[in-house]
Amino acid sequence: MTAFLVSLQDTEDDAYRQRLSEKIDRPAAEFATVEELDRRLGLSGNDGR
């Protein structure tokens, strides 16, 4: 039973690594800019921060 559960976990880890590597391999132009991230997080105010 333990071996089966470990094999399932390894399968999930491989799938996760694959999805993550696909995201990392995207061109920089597809990522959000700092300004866009500030806007999304509500940090784009003009209060000097």
Side-chain angles (χ1 to χ4, degrees), residues 9-23:
Q9 181 180 5
D10 288 346
T11 301
E12 283 298 314
D13 288 345
D14 288 341
Y16 174 75
R17 275 189 230 111
Q18 178 64 31
R19 288 191 309 271
L20 186 58
S21 68
E22 288 170 1
K23 289 180 181 182

Side-chain angles (χ1 to χ4, degrees), residues 1 3 6 12 14-16 18 23-24 28 30 34 37 39 41 44-46:
M1 180 68 147
V6 168
E12 283 298 314
D14 288 341
Y16 174 75
Q18 178 64 31
K23 289 180 181 182
I24 291 171
E30 292 184 20
V34 172
L37 293 174
R39 187 188 64 75
L41 295 171
S44 60
N46 293 324

Side-chain angles (χ1 to χ4, degrees), residues 26 28-45:
R26 292 181 5 205
E30 292 184 20
F31 288 95
T33 63
V34 172
E35 291 80 12
E36 176 65 17
L37 293 174
D38 282 349
R39 187 188 64 75
R40 290 180 189 183
L41 295 171
L43 302 174
S44 60

